[in-house]
Amino acid sequence: MQEGNAPARCVLDIRAESGETPVWSLAEQKLFWVDQEAHRLNAFDPACGSNESWQMPAHVSSFALRGAGEPVVVALRTGLFDFDRASGTLAPVAAPPPYPVETHRFNDGRCDRQGRYLIGSVDLSYFQTGVAGRAAVYRLDGGGLAEVIGDITCSNGMAFSPDGRIMYLADSPAGRVYAFDYDIATGTPSNRRVFTERDRGDGIFDGAEVDAEGCYWVCLLMKGAVARYMPDGRLDREIAVPVLQPTKVAFGGPELATLYLTSAAHRHLPGDQPLGRHAGGLFAIETGVQGIEEAKYRF
């Protein structure tokens, strides 16, 4: 394993409470992302350094882009909605799953290579009760919202191999990233197995991305680092970042060669470690690796 030395530069010092879910739009040349706790969808333009923001009426965990100017599917605590950026209106797409809304909500999500939207959930009561495995992953397509993975506590790190036939999913409290065989015809994961694991004291798996070489990049919350794993699960490198709570990565830029990183200014776990001067900011890292264009929602 090599230590990465590519510096992470802060490109937007915005102090987001919980920056998450960066997605690069090639058509608009902007990085879309959310501040979950502040209930805001954002679009950052690196060409001029500006950030446009839209207030949501509830906690927003992730989203799925369609074409430029088309409505964005947003996963709110109250359900899934089409959000029209021009008018600021929301149109219902699907109700939340039949889980207790007092303890559960959507968390990490993204589109598969075929354009289905998969959204994981988190059971917030785990952090008081210690009872694991009561969250799930759901799929949104033309057939509505359906559960496709169960026995998860806090869904994170969702990503797909370049050919779309392997799905990755982290369960943060378990300290594991799982791999699944993924049926691209039906959007069904199977054959769950451990891809990699790590002691939580050495970083907590958070948001992730897969590059054009099929390697898995994942944020290490509470360690201030981003790790790259080879397709066989071997750790390739770690890159230190100047914030304690990096949350998710996405490749962007005209050639998809810049690794963008969101972070959190709200302390996720108890402790006295410094969060970093630019905690909650957006960062960019030149890794020498290219990414893959994020699929658009097509249903």
Side-chain angles (χ1 to χ4, degrees), residues 12-17 19 33 243 262-265 278-283:
L12 183 67
D13 190 9
I14 196 171
R15 295 202 63 79
E17 291 185 56
W33 61 285
V243 286
T262 51
S263 66
H278 299 298
L282 294 183
F283 295 83

Side-chain angles (χ1 to χ4, degrees), residues 47-93:
C48 61
S50 65
N51 187 72
E52 191 173 6
S53 185
W54 300 271
Q55 187 70 43
M56 296 291 114
H59 184 284
V60 53
S61 66
S62 69
F63 58 91
L65 297 177
R66 291 190 174 92
E70 295 185 58
V72 179
V73 185
V74 291
L76 305 184
R77 190 156 194 166
T78 49
L80 298 172
F81 296 83
D82 270 341
F83 174 65
D84 185 271
R85 288 183 276 157
S87 65
T89 57
L90 290 161
V93 172

Side-chain angles (χ1 to χ4, degrees), residues 217-228:
W217 295 79
V218 61
C219 290
L220 300 178
L221 191 76
M222 311 310 292
K223 186 176 183 179
V226 176
R228 185 191 196 227

Side-chain angles (χ1 to χ4, degrees), residues 118-291:
L118 285 94
I119 319 104
S121 64
V122 55
D123 174 16
L124 298 170
S125 71
Y126 165 81
F127 301 99
Q128 286 75 46
T129 67
V131 179
R134 298 193 296 192
V137 175
Y138 305 88
R139 181 188 64 231
L140 178 70
D141 56 21
L145 193 66
E147 181 177 325
V148 293
I149 298 172
D151 192 21
I152 291 289
T153 303
C154 180
S155 171
N156 264 312
M158 189 186 298
F160 292 88
S161 62
D163 66 3
R165 297 182 182 275
I166 298 175
M167 177 181 178
Y168 300 98
L169 184 74
D171 192 349
S172 298
R176 295 192 185 101
V177 177
Y178 298 105
F180 299 79
D181 295 333
Y182 192 76
D183 188 329
I184 62 174
T186 63
T188 304
S190 63
N191 188 26
R192 172 173 171 163
R193 57 207 181 266
V194 175
F195 171 69
T196 190
E197 54 190 338
R198 128 182 336 244
D199 187 290
R200 281 169 48 87
D202 190 35
I204 299 169
F205 291 125
D206 206 326
E209 179 63 287
V210 166
D211 64 30
E213 298 173 8
C215 296
Y216 180 82
W217 295 79
V218 61
C219 290
L220 300 178
L221 191 76
M222 311 310 292
K223 186 176 183 179
V226 176
R228 185 191 196 227
Y229 288 87
M230 303 298 286
D232 62 5
R234 287 181 297 117
L235 180 61
D236 172 59
R237 73 182 78 162
E238 284 187 11
I239 298 174
V241 297
V243 286
L244 182 66
Q245 301 178 136
T247 53
K248 193 168 183 178
V249 287
F251 284 94
E255 306 299 325
L256 297 175
T258 298
L259 189 68
Y260 284 100
L261 168 72
T262 51
S263 66
H266 170 77
R267 189 177 292 275
H268 283 290
L269 295 172
D272 56 5
Q273 294 170 276
L275 297 180
R277 177 184 168 193
H278 299 298
L282 294 183
F283 295 83
I285 308 171
E286 307 304 329
T287 65
V289 177
Q290 285 188 300

